[in-house]
Amino acid sequence: MNFQDLGLSDSLLAAVAKNGYEEPTAIQAQTIPLTLQGEDVIGQAQTGTGKTAAFALPILQGIDVDDPNVQALIISPTRELAIQTQNELQKLGRSEGARAQVVYGGSDIRRQIYDLKKTSTSHCWDSWASIGSHPATDAQVRSREVFGFR
C-alpha cells in the first residue's frame, strides 16, 4: 500500500513526499481512509509510528482555508507533544495554506491571544483543562468539527 491508495489530495501527497514519508505505517494505512470517510476512529500505536500524520492528514484535507473559524482542535497531554503536533501540522499543511497554533500554560498570554486571532484554522492545546481556563477560548473555539486527542 502507498499514500496514493489512501485517498489524500494531490497537494497532501506532495507534502507527504516532500517530508520524507515513503509508505504509510500500519496506523496510517488503517486510520486515514476511515477518517476521510467521516468515521470516528480510535487508534493506538507505539511512539514513532506516525500517529500524528495519521490524524493530521485527514484534518488538513478537510480544512477550508477560506473559513476563518477554528476547524480542528487537538488536545495533547503535554506542552512538548502539543508543540510537536503544531510543527507537524505546519509542515504537512503548508501547501494547503492551513495554519496551526499551539496554546499552553506558563507562556505569555498576550502573545498567545494575538497568535490565536491571526491563526484560526487549527489549534493544539496542551490539556483539556487549559481550554476552559484560556481567555481566548470563547472568542476562538466556535466551530469544532474535528477533535483529535493525543
Side-chain angles (χ1 to χ4, degrees):
M1 176 173 281
N2 58 44
F3 280 101
Q4 290 82 5
D5 299 328
L6 301 180
L8 295 170
S9 68
D10 289 340
S11 60
L12 283 176
L13 289 172
V16 163
K18 181 179 179 181
N19 284 285
Y21 293 93
E22 296 179 8
E23 61 183 45
T25 63
I27 189 74
Q28 294 164 347
Q30 294 169 8
T31 61
I32 290 173
L34 294 173
T35 306
L36 289 174
Q37 293 172 14
E39 298 291 326
D40 292 332
V41 175
I42 297 173
Q44 182 177 358
Q46 295 293 320
T47 300
T49 57
K51 292 183 299 294
T52 302
F55 70 81
L57 290 168
I59 288 172
L60 290 167
Q61 183 147 317
I63 284 179
D64 176 359
V65 295
D66 296 322
D67 182 348
N69 292 306
V70 173
Q71 297 174 52
L73 178 65
I74 302 162
I75 302 171
S76 298
T78 67
R79 177 183 309 183
E80 292 75 18
L81 194 52
I83 292 168
Q84 173 192 327
T85 301
Q86 176 192 23
N87 292 339
E88 191 71 12
L89 282 164
Q90 289 173 337
K91 282 191 327 187
L92 293 170
R94 187 169 288 123
S95 64
E96 295 284 310
R99 298 172 308 276
Q101 179 59 47
V102 68
V103 177
Y104 50 81
S107 184
D108 180 3
I109 193 68
R110 291 179 302 271
R111 178 69 183 173
Q112 290 188 57
I113 291 171
Y114 172 79
D115 288 343
L116 280 170
K117 288 179 179 177
K118 72 174 187 159
T119 308
S120 60
T121 303
S122 177
H123 297 286
C124 305
W125 301 78
D126 73 331
S127 70
W128 186 256
S130 72
I131 294 172
S133 63
H134 200 283
T137 301
D138 291 335
Q140 295 298 319
V141 183
R142 289 188 210 137
S143 104
R144 300 182 203 173
E145 297 174 14
V146 178
F147 288 87
F149 298 89
R150 296 284 325 247

